[in-house]
Amino acid sequence: MSGPEPEDASADAINSRGALLAQRQECQAAVRTWAAALEQLRQLRADGSDDDEHDPDGMPLSLQISRLEGLIRDEDARLSEIDHALGNLTQGRYGVCAECGAVIAPGRLAIRPAARTCVSCARLLP
């Protein structure tokens, strides 16, 4: 077996681009939601309404703020990975392992379209 036919490769690229763009939109929506929530919490703190630090039933504002900042950082990193994958797709390098240069299995890309490594190399990374 010699690999995918050119039209199959083109269809795969279209499917991959669609999956990546959909994930990108999801990430952007999540960041907008969390940024709005973060702004509300910061406004509460600025208004002097942050007296929940000693509330045994509630999560302190500082913890909520830290959690949202972490979620936003994670999504920003995910957006960066997606943008990297879209760039690789445009340059014809999509689906090639960044570590060993092997083709990344289509099943891996179907599950994780922004994957930079094949399964074998992913197992070796921290």
Side-chain angles (χ1 to χ4, degrees):
M1 187 165 217
S2 63
E5 294 295 319
E7 64 241 17
D8 292 340
S10 179
D12 287 344
I14 290 169
N15 290 339
S16 296
R17 182 177 300 285
L20 288 164
L21 291 173
Q23 284 187 356
R24 192 172 200 290
Q25 287 178 337
E26 290 171 13
C27 286
Q28 289 173 322
V31 168
R32 282 192 301 272
T33 299
W34 293 329
L38 184 58
E39 182 57 33
Q40 287 178 339
L41 290 175
R42 286 184 173 149
Q43 189 62 44
L44 279 173
R45 175 156 283 166
D47 291 344
S49 308
D50 63 347
D51 193 26
D52 70 338
E53 297 296 329
H54 303 290
D55 181 0
D57 296 327
M59 185 185 301
L61 285 180
S62 57
L63 184 57
Q64 292 178 53
I65 288 170
S66 179
R67 181 181 154 273
L68 287 169
E69 288 171 340
L71 289 169
I72 291 169
R73 269 191 312 275
D74 289 349
E75 285 303 301
D76 282 342
R78 189 170 170 222
L79 278 168
S80 178
E81 290 291 317
I82 291 168
D83 288 343
H84 184 269
L86 286 167
N88 280 346
L89 192 59
T90 300
Q91 297 168 2
R93 293 190 319 249
Y94 181 74
V96 176
C97 179
E99 294 294 317
C100 70
V103 173
I104 299 172
R108 177 164 169 75
L109 291 172
I111 293 169
R112 194 165 176 251
R116 288 188 186 209
T117 60
C118 65
V119 172
S120 297
C121 289
R123 286 185 183 136
L124 299 174
L125 295 174

